[in-house]
Amino acid sequence: MKNHNHLAVWLVIILHQVLGYIWYAPFLFLNVWLAGQGRTMAQLNASGPAPIIWSIVANIIAAYTISWLIIKLDVKNFWSGAKLGVVLSAGFFILGLGAHYKFLGIADSVVFIDLGLLFVWTIIAASILAAWRKKM
């Protein structure tokens, strides 16, 4: 844990929450996302704090995992981090979650919106974490 740039890791965790807030805002994807699930905003609000808590915990783990990979793979700059983000997104998150979503019968609109956020955040996170590595 001593080799992580904790400030950078927490920045990308907070950035994910901000990006998610914007991504699922009514002026972007919220209405299409809700329609794709056949849900209303009232139903979404009834889910309580569990989804937000899950999202924060998952992103803490994801951010530290990406940071660990960057250290182990010796990724040292923004663009190399971006490439790692693309590989992680395409190779693991999008393929695995996309198949899972489709087995559940989730609408393509929901799949693309959710996985789009993962794709964008993973690239941004890996780019920032690679560019802002702790000096050892």
Side-chain angles (χ1 to χ4, degrees):
M1 290 294 280
K2 66 182 179 184
N3 292 333
H4 295 281
N5 182 340
H6 298 285
L7 184 59
V9 170
W10 283 94
L11 172 73
V12 299
I13 292 165
I14 292 166
L15 182 62
H16 180 271
Q17 297 306 311
V18 171
L19 184 59
Y21 181 80
I22 294 167
W23 197 266
Y24 293 105
F27 61 85
L28 269 181
F29 299 117
L30 177 65
N31 297 324
V32 175
W33 186 76
L34 286 171
Q37 298 180 64
R39 296 175 69 190
T40 66
M41 195 62 193
Q43 290 170 315
L44 184 65
N45 289 335
S47 61
I52 300 294
I53 294 167
W54 184 276
S55 174
I56 292 169
V57 170
N59 283 291
I60 291 169
I61 294 167
Y64 275 104
T65 301
I66 293 168
S67 177
W68 179 84
L69 275 171
I70 285 168
I71 293 164
K72 292 298 179 190
L73 297 173
D74 200 28
V75 179
K76 293 184 178 180
N77 62 58
F78 182 90
W79 294 111
S80 294
K83 290 175 191 174
L84 177 62
V86 169
V87 169
L88 290 172
S89 293
F92 296 102
F93 305 140
I94 291 175
L95 293 176
L97 284 175
H100 179 72
Y101 273 31
K102 295 317 298 171
F103 274 111
L104 292 172
I106 295 174
D108 287 341
S109 59
V110 175
V111 174
F112 288 119
I113 291 168
D114 286 354
L115 297 182
L117 175 59
L118 268 175
F119 183 74
V120 169
W121 178 79
T122 304
I123 293 169
I124 291 170
S127 299
I128 290 170
L129 293 170
W132 194 10
R133 285 184 57 178
K134 186 175 181 179
K135 304 245 189 286
M136 294 185 247

